Amino acid sequence: MLMLTYYGHSCLLLDDGAHKVLTDPFLTGNPTAAITADAVAADTILLSHAHGDHFGDAQAIAERTGAEVVGVPEVLGLLRLPGAKLHGMNLGGTLVLAFGSMRMVLARHSSGVAGGCACGYIIRMGGKTVYFAGDTAIFSDMKFLGERDAIDYALLPIGDNYTMGPEDAALAAKWLGAKHVIPIHYNTWPIIAQDPEEFKKLCEAASDAKVSIVKPGASLELA
């Protein structure tokens, strides 16, 4: 069984009952955060890039939990943690861990640090394949991602302005061939305000994906 808990913005936890993978832990200063940085659990932290609303509380959470932090080397260079707690990788690389594996994939977005790049992750955990897109525009290689992996759940930003908006995210779901889509990175601030119900209609009309709207603080079993 794999459970997803959404903490708001792009922060979520994947928990298979034995391992906990946390993404982009922006909690302090996040008006939608459903948990505090001193309460969240993690064994592994995945960072998509170094903007403050994604890099967020990575340092504090890793110090408290002892979690390993994964990201591109330039992003990890901003952390003050022992080298044993950092795993640098780059686009196309695959990392095998106790819970399964993950592959770092392209995201079309600025990185927040000189020389770095933004990324997403294809995560294999609990018998499921989960695509965490990070912050990204739509890009044609999403078709390749869908051909390369049978994606069970795609976690896609829909906020617009800084990332793709609902229309492009709906098209991305089609290109990815995802069975399920969960929208993220919206309604944190007025500039990225979106109606997830409208996105659900768009996405399900444009693709075969089923959309699950998970509110901050709520959990969903990835069946």
Side-chain angles (χ1 to χ4, degrees), residues 14 19 27 40 48 56 58 78 96 106 151 153 176 178 194 204 213:
L14 295 173
H19 309 96
L27 300 169
V40 72
S48 66
L78 300 175
V96 177
L106 179 68
I151 297 171
Y153 286 83
L176 291 162
Q194 299 293 341
E204 293 183 348
I213 299 167

Side-chain angles (χ1 to χ4, degrees), residues 5-13 21-42 44-47 51-62 64-65 185 188-189 215-218:
T5 301
Y6 184 43
Y7 292 135
H9 205 55
S10 290
C11 183
L12 56 96
L13 184 74
V21 177
L22 185 70
T23 67
D24 286 353
F26 167 53
L27 300 169
T28 303
N30 176 356
T32 67
I35 197 169
T36 60
D38 60 0
V40 72
T44 304
I45 298 171
L46 305 184
L47 295 178
H51 290 157
D53 61 325
H54 294 261
F55 188 83
D57 297 293
Q59 174 80 33
I61 295 170
R64 179 178 56 81
T65 63
H185 201 278
T188 314
W189 301 286
K215 294 181 180 180

Side-chain angles (χ1 to χ4, degrees), residues 29-191:
N30 176 356
T32 67
I35 197 169
T36 60
D38 60 0
V40 72
D43 303 310
T44 304
I45 298 171
L46 305 184
L47 295 178
S48 66
H49 62 295
H51 290 157
D53 61 325
H54 294 261
F55 188 83
D57 297 293
Q59 174 80 33
I61 295 170
E63 286 179 346
R64 179 178 56 81
T65 63
E68 182 176 33
V69 187
V70 180
V72 299
E74 293 84 355
V75 170
L76 297 187
L78 300 175
L79 295 168
R80 300 177 302 281
L81 293 167
K85 291 299 180 184
L86 302 173
H87 188 98
M89 55 190 304
N90 221 309
L91 301 177
T94 297
L95 175 63
V96 177
L97 292 172
F99 63 80
S101 68
M102 60 189 144
R103 190 170 82 256
M104 182 180 281
V105 297
L106 179 68
R108 290 293 190 183
H109 192 70
S110 56
S111 71
V113 61
C117 62
C119 70
Y121 295 91
I122 302 284
I123 305 162
R124 297 184 183 276
M125 184 176 184
K128 300 298 177 184
T129 299
V130 179
Y131 171 44
F132 172 67
D135 273 13
T136 190
I138 191 172
F139 56 97
S140 60
D141 277 0
M142 286 180 171
K143 296 177 183 178
F144 165 73
L145 296 181
E147 293 171 359
R148 171 71 166 75
D149 294 284
I151 297 171
D152 295 303
Y153 286 83
L155 313 176
L156 303 179
I158 67 166
D160 215 338
N161 195 75
Y162 297 112
T163 68
M164 59 186 174
E167 293 82 4
D168 281 355
L171 180 56
K174 179 180 179 179
W175 285 356
L176 291 162
K179 297 175 185 175
H180 303 270
V181 170
I182 299 172
I184 60 174
H185 201 278
Y186 68 98
N187 288 353
T188 314
W189 301 286
I191 199 169

